[in-house]
Amino acid sequence: MTNAPAATPATPPAGRSAPGAFGHVDTWIFDLDNTLYPAACNLFAQVDVRIGAYIAQALGLDAAAAKRLQKDYFRQYGTSLRGLMLNHGVRPEPFLDYVHDIDVSAILPQPGMADSLAALPGRKIIYTNGSKGHAENVMRRLGVADHFHAVFDIVAADFTPKPEAAPYTTLIQRHAIDPTRAVMVEDIARNLEPAAALGMATVFVDTGSPFSLPNPEAPSQIPAYVQHRITDVPAWLAQVAAEVGG
Ligand SMILES: [Mg+2]
């Protein structure tokens, strides 16, 4: 099969978003990992190792078997934790504390980002499949903790991860969000699909990983629910803050 450009969905230009695209927004929803800080920090590599270690210890498995179960549950349940809770009665809080007890020094403080967030009108909320403690750890390191109104984490989501639809509804109800006045910023494209379905504007943070797209085999195919595609979150925030900031 040859390339057929006509069959490829229109790709939004990467980098800047369309001017004026966010004037209506009063709630800014940000994913945490690989969105608020660059994917190159590779924090998940640390979390990944700690999840495997926790499973090995909790279930008495060797490292290879624990790693297999970790990946199987991730594929089957969206998070390894949910598989552990449903199949083994693992308690979530000690698990979340352990796996997120990582070194975040690879993240560089971002004073410019704090200024941009301060200039954006409305609430800023973090929506993560990780824990609130992890979000607070990352926000402290970035120097942006004062600019977020709330963290909606995997506990708040009743352990149902993005991109399942239910927690998006919980999020907008819990925080009285009008989705037509909200934007969601996220590095995993499919996590934007339920947001778009609710009427939110969507911003895909393209980290360059084909696995952030629904079809890694065809990374040039950007799904239609991606309305804006950016590569540099601090630069984009500065641009939008200049456009809509007071
Ligand atoms: Mg992410």
Side-chain angles (χ1 to χ4, degrees), residues 31-37 127-128 162 185-188 191:
D31 171 50
L32 180 74
D33 293 300
N34 299 345
T35 293
L36 280 194
Y37 62 86
Y127 178 12
T128 176
K162 298 180 273 188
V185 185
E186 168 63 73
D187 72 293
I188 304 291
N191 290 349

Side-chain angles (χ1 to χ4, degrees), residues 39-70:
C41 295
N42 204 18
L43 292 197
F44 189 72
Q46 296 180 59
V47 177
D48 191 51
V49 168
R50 293 183 74 80
I51 293 173
Y54 197 92
I55 293 173
Q57 214 279 326
L59 305 185
L61 299 174
D62 66 35
K67 185 59 69 180
R68 270 198 305 278
L69 199 66
Q70 175 184 349

Side-chain angles (χ1 to χ4, degrees), residues 176-192:
I177 295 166
D178 175 353
T180 66
R181 300 191 64 190
V183 59
M184 184 161 165
V185 185
E186 168 63 73
D187 72 293
I188 304 291
R190 70 176 76 246
N191 290 349
L192 293 171

Side-chain angles (χ1 to χ4, degrees), residues 3-246:
N3 285 341
T8 303
T11 302
R16 299 172 65 85
S17 51
F22 304 101
H24 67 294
V25 169
D26 70 6
T27 306
W28 309 78
I29 301 166
F30 294 86
D31 171 50
L32 180 74
D33 293 300
N34 299 345
T35 293
L36 280 194
Y37 62 86
C41 295
N42 204 18
L43 292 197
F44 189 72
Q46 296 180 59
V47 177
D48 191 51
V49 168
R50 293 183 74 80
I51 293 173
Y54 197 92
I55 293 173
Q57 214 279 326
L59 305 185
L61 299 174
D62 66 35
K67 185 59 69 180
R68 270 198 305 278
L69 199 66
Q70 175 184 349
K71 298 302 170 189
D72 286 349
Y73 283 169
F74 180 80
R75 274 189 292 274
Q76 195 175 343
Y77 297 101
T79 65
S80 302
L81 172 58
R82 194 152 62 140
L84 293 168
M85 290 171 68
L86 292 174
N87 293 299
H88 307 278
V90 165
R91 287 175 53 229
E93 291 84 2
F95 172 93
L96 289 168
D97 287 347
Y98 180 84
V99 306
H100 291 116
D101 183 14
I102 59 170
D103 175 10
V104 297
S105 61
I107 299 174
L108 300 178
Q110 294 282 352
M113 205 159 134
D115 293 343
S116 300
L117 288 166
L120 290 179
R123 293 179 298 173
K124 297 99 204 182
I125 295 173
I126 288 181
Y127 178 12
T128 176
N129 279 349
S131 71
K132 187 175 182 191
H134 174 53
E136 288 170 346
N137 201 16
V138 168
M139 285 192 292
R140 265 196 304 275
R141 177 71 185 161
L142 285 165
V144 300
D146 293 345
H147 302 288
F148 283 92
H149 169 87
V151 176
F152 188 81
D153 74 347
I154 194 67
V155 179
D158 200 21
F159 304 102
T160 304
K162 298 180 273 188
E164 288 195 32
Y168 293 73
T169 305
T170 307
L171 167 67
I172 64 173
Q173 287 173 347
R174 177 119 4 127
H175 292 288
I177 295 166
D178 175 353
T180 66
R181 300 191 64 190
V183 59
M184 184 161 165
V185 185
E186 168 63 73
D187 72 293
I188 304 291
R190 70 176 76 246
N191 290 349
L192 293 171
E193 188 168 19
L198 288 165
M200 293 185 195
T202 61
V203 177
F204 171 51
V205 180
D206 190 347
T207 63
S209 167
F211 299 102
S212 296
L213 291 159
N215 184 1
E217 306 291 316
S220 64
Q221 290 182 14
I222 307 294
Y225 52 76
V226 169
Q227 294 165 3
H228 306 275
R229 182 159 68 103
I230 67 171
T231 54
D232 183 328
V233 172
W236 174 75
L237 279 174
Q239 176 212 330
V240 176
E243 284 171 15
V244 305

